[in-house]
Amino acid sequence: MKIPLFINGSNITLEADPQESLMKVLHKNGYPSVKSGCDKGYCGSCTILLNDNPVASCKIPAGLVRGSNIITLEYFSKTTEYQTIMEGFSKAGIKLCGYCNAGKIFSAYNILKLTKIPTREEIENSIKSLSPCCTDSETLVNGIIYALRIHNKKADRITSSKERNH
């Protein structure tokens, strides 16, 4: 089956069995950041952004993504949001292992997109199912909080700059 969609900003048509997991299809088509882990949607290693929301691609049949917008970690790593998240993670002492990066980074991104500042408990709840293979939950929460602070400082500077220019 031909599946037209947008991947990393490009209009692409993939040839795939519609019941095959999106994770397998993406990996076969040259997106190495989409890794196989638990195949149950918990570990985070196959996480992608599907229409700007983090999802476990192992749980999604490829046939369901027709016309969707997919962002993989390869592409996302070129964004300012990625740099902000990595700066926050670094400040918390997080050294990602390379295996489960997508789940942790895209979960942090999903929190950064929120219009309100989440509580520590809300952040903990949003990451509780992620694999703890390279960092513990407490340190990951701290990294996300640091990233939120950095993100908000940047947003404040942009707002202040716009106000001065008007």
Side-chain angles (χ1 to χ4, degrees):
M1 168 183 198
K2 293 187 185 293
I3 304 169
L5 48 104
F6 295 91
I7 299 179
N8 296 339
S10 297
N11 193 0
I12 294 176
T13 300
L14 296 176
E15 185 70 41
D17 176 335
Q19 296 306 312
E20 187 173 17
S21 79
L22 181 58
M23 173 198 66
K24 289 180 182 174
V25 171
L26 290 171
H27 198 76
K28 282 194 293 189
N29 282 277
Y31 300 97
S33 71
V34 184
K35 296 181 173 37
S36 178
C38 67
D39 284 335
K40 292 178 174 52
Y42 299 120
C43 71
S45 63
C46 70
T47 305
I48 59 166
L49 291 178
L50 179 63
N51 299 324
D52 207 36
N53 294 300
V55 298
S57 62
C58 69
K59 299 301 290 174
I60 300 170
L64 293 181
V65 298
R66 175 181 229 91
S68 296
N69 184 19
I70 294 172
I71 300 291
T72 65
L73 195 55
E74 290 91 353
Y75 187 80
F76 187 76
S77 68
K78 299 172 187 150
T79 66
T80 57
E81 291 91 347
Y82 175 85
Q83 299 306 320
T84 298
I85 292 164
M86 295 313 292
E87 191 177 336
F89 282 11
S90 177
K91 190 168 184 171
I94 297 171
K95 292 180 178 36
L96 296 174
C97 65
Y99 183 70
C100 61
N101 294 16
K104 290 174 174 63
I105 292 167
F106 287 143
S107 292
Y109 169 69
N110 205 40
I111 293 167
L112 259 58
K113 292 188 318 179
L114 297 174
T115 54
K116 71 172 193 82
I117 307 267
T119 65
R120 185 173 197 87
E121 184 178 354
E122 289 170 327
I123 295 171
E124 288 168 354
N125 285 334
S126 71
I127 63 159
K128 68 182 171 190
S129 68
L130 293 175
S131 169
C133 64
C134 57
T135 189
D136 62 278
S137 295
E138 183 73 18
T139 305
L140 181 57
V141 169
N142 290 339
I144 292 171
I145 290 170
Y146 286 134
L148 277 165
R149 289 179 183 160
I150 295 163
H151 175 74
N152 290 336
K153 280 184 185 176
K154 288 178 182 178
D156 288 345
R157 275 184 265 164
I158 291 169
T159 302
S160 297
S161 174
K162 285 181 181 177
E163 288 171 357
R164 283 192 304 265
N165 292 332
H166 287 317

